[in-house]
């Protein structure tokens, strides 16, 4: 009897181990790539101008026009709810993905996969990935029982730790979800804040966010224990590059007037650039080297 029970326990442990390895492999594959940097493809200034113009033209015609980090591809939602991924140099589609439900959100995972958020029905949202160029779709998770106007607002992730944070907003409330390596979905306590934007550091230690409270937009971060720390009042989250936050001072219209670099190790902010023209934070790009560029294709 003891030997039989021992064999049974060993078999159960083996099954659990295999399941854990398979799940970890799925998430590791989700974020893996041949190069963990997001360097842009080498191209001449004239090629970059042509790419910028192509993206601007697409934004005039389609929704969710989103270039990959290396400017090799651009994803956009075309007719009949079909997600197209086009090579920006050849201007040819490399894959098309049919979506059975209305698309709410599109975001690149480096340069090989795309997050797609769909509304199955009011209060029922589904998150999946689309592989490039195969077009294969994989469901990540589904959120049910939400308010009817709930929608995907932002997804941020770490390619080093495979952590994913998903911001879902209604007109007046925010819900922040975390998906870890083992695909376990948890609700992050936000203290009743309305959160506008989120961005995760590469190491996954700090989740920066912009909230709106008492008439002010503010930049803060949650540490690994989900404790909130203030960075700057009356500010907008611009981006996180590596483990470094970039935020902007804003004027009375909510437009960024100056961009700062911040490290929570020192708690110090350094001015990166004063903007000649106040600009929406969403239209400001931070390069891999930490430079500030205005997205001229934004409309």
């Amino acid at each position: 009897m003891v030997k039989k029970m021992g064999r049974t326990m060993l078999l159960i442990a083996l099954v659990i181990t295999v399941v854990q390895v398979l799940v970890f492999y799925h998430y590791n594959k989700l974020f893996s790539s041949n190069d963990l940097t997001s360097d842009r493809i080498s191209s001449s200034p004239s090629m970059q101008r042509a790419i910028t113009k192509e993206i601007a033209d697409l934004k005039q015609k389609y929704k969710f026009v989103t270039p990959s980090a290396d400017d090799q591809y651009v994803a956009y939602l075309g007719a009949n709810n079909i997600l197209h991924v086009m090579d920006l140099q050849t201007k040819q589609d490399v894959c098309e993905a049919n979506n059975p439900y209305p698309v709410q959100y599109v975001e690149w995972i480096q340069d090989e996969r795309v997050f797609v958020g769909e509304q199955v029905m009011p209060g029922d949202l589904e998150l999946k990935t689309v592989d490039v160029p195969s077009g294969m779709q994989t469901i990540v998770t589904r959120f049910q029982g939400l308010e009817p106007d709930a929608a995907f607002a932002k997804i941020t992730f770490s390619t080093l730790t495979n952590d994913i944070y998903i911001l879902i907003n209604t007109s007046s409330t925010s819900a922040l979800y975390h998906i870890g390596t083992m695909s376990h979905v948890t609700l992050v306590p936000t203290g009743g804040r309305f959160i506008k934007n989120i961005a995760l550091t590469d190491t996954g230690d700090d989740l920066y966010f912009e909230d709106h409270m008492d008439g002010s937009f503010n930049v803060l971060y949650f540490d690994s224990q989900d404790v909130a720390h203030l960075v700057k009042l009356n500010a907008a989250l611009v981006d996180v590059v590596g483990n470094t936050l970039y935020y902007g001072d804003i004027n009375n219209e909510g437009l960024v007037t100056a961009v700062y670099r911040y490290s929570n190790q020192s708690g110090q902010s350094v001015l990166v650039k004063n903007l000649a023209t106040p600009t929406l934070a969403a239209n400001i790009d931070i390069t891999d080297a930490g430079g500030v560029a205005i997205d001229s294709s934004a409309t």
Side-chain angles (χ1 to χ4, degrees):
M1 176 66 72
V2 173
K3 290 183 178 180
K4 183 177 180 181
M5 182 177 295
R7 288 195 299 269
T8 301
M9 294 300 294
L10 180 61
L11 179 60
I12 292 173
L14 179 61
V15 170
I16 293 173
T17 300
V18 170
V19 171
Q20 289 178 332
V21 169
L22 289 175
V23 173
F24 179 79
Y25 173 78
H26 166 72
Y27 274 92
N28 195 51
K29 182 178 183 296
L30 182 70
F31 291 114
S32 64
S33 69
N34 294 329
D35 183 359
L36 289 179
T37 64
S38 56
D39 295 333
R40 295 177 180 272
I41 56 176
S42 177
S43 60
S44 65
S46 60
M47 177 66 76
Q48 280 296 331
R49 287 193 295 270
I51 288 173
T52 299
K53 184 179 184 303
E54 182 68 27
I55 292 172
D57 290 344
L58 288 171
K59 286 184 175 181
Q60 296 293 329
K61 303 175 183 176
Y62 303 106
K63 296 176 62 178
F64 304 112
V65 177
T66 312
S68 60
D70 63 358
D71 276 349
Q72 181 176 356
Y73 302 117
V74 62
Y76 64 91
L77 190 68
N80 300 317
N81 212 37
I82 295 176
L83 183 76
H84 298 258
V85 178
M86 184 180 75
D87 188 306
L88 279 165
Q89 294 199 58
T90 65
K91 297 185 180 180
Q92 299 294 318
D93 278 1
V94 294
C95 77
E96 296 180 356
N98 292 297
N99 301 284
Y101 311 113
V103 172
Q104 289 186 333
Y105 188 88
V106 174
E107 176 76 22
W108 279 89
I109 308 171
Q110 294 187 313
D111 309 314
E112 294 183 346
R113 295 174 186 86
V114 181
F115 274 129
V116 177
E118 295 177 288
Q119 184 189 59
V120 179
M121 63 179 65
D124 186 348
L125 307 180
E126 184 173 271
L127 179 65
K128 66 184 180 184
T129 62
V130 176
D131 280 0
V132 177
S134 70
M136 184 178 70
Q137 301 183 30
T138 303
I139 295 174
V140 177
T141 192
R142 189 164 170 177
F143 303 92
Q144 297 175 292
L146 306 175
E147 293 297 319
D149 63 339
F152 289 102
K154 181 68 181 290
I155 298 172
T156 185
F157 52 88
S158 166
T159 55
L160 298 181
T161 66
N162 293 344
D163 288 287
I164 307 171
Y165 285 88
I166 303 158
L167 178 64
I168 295 177
N169 283 348
T170 69
S171 58
S172 59
T173 63
S174 295
L176 183 60
Y177 298 90
H178 172 236
I179 303 179
T181 301
M182 302 308 294
S183 74
H184 184 54
V185 181
T186 58
L187 185 64
V188 179
T190 61
R193 293 178 170 86
F194 183 82
I195 298 177
K196 180 182 177 182
N197 194 8
I198 56 174
L200 183 66
T201 56
D202 275 358
T203 56
D205 293 324
D206 300 310
L207 177 69
Y208 289 96
F209 65 95
E210 178 185 338
D211 75 359
H212 184 240
M213 186 171 290
D214 298 327
S216 171
F217 290 97
N218 318 290
V219 176
L220 307 92
Y221 69 91
F222 289 120
D223 61 23
S224 58
Q225 302 301 314
D226 296 331
V227 177
H229 303 264
L230 177 66
V231 175
K232 186 70 164 57
L233 296 174
N234 296 309
L237 192 160
V238 175
D239 202 358
V240 170
V241 177
N243 288 325
T244 302
L245 165 71
Y246 291 83
Y247 72 87
D249 278 344
I250 56 176
N251 61 18
N252 292 334
E253 298 177 334
L255 301 177
V256 174
T257 58
V259 176
Y260 290 82
R261 180 174 62 248
Y262 174 84
S263 170
N264 68 6
Q265 299 299 317
S266 64
Q268 300 296 315
S269 297
V270 177
L271 177 65
V272 178
K273 185 176 183 178
N274 285 307
L275 302 186
T277 303
T279 306
L280 280 172
N283 295 340
I284 301 173
D285 293 328
I286 304 299
T287 68
D288 292 340
V292 176
I294 305 302
D295 183 4
S296 59
S297 69
T299 57

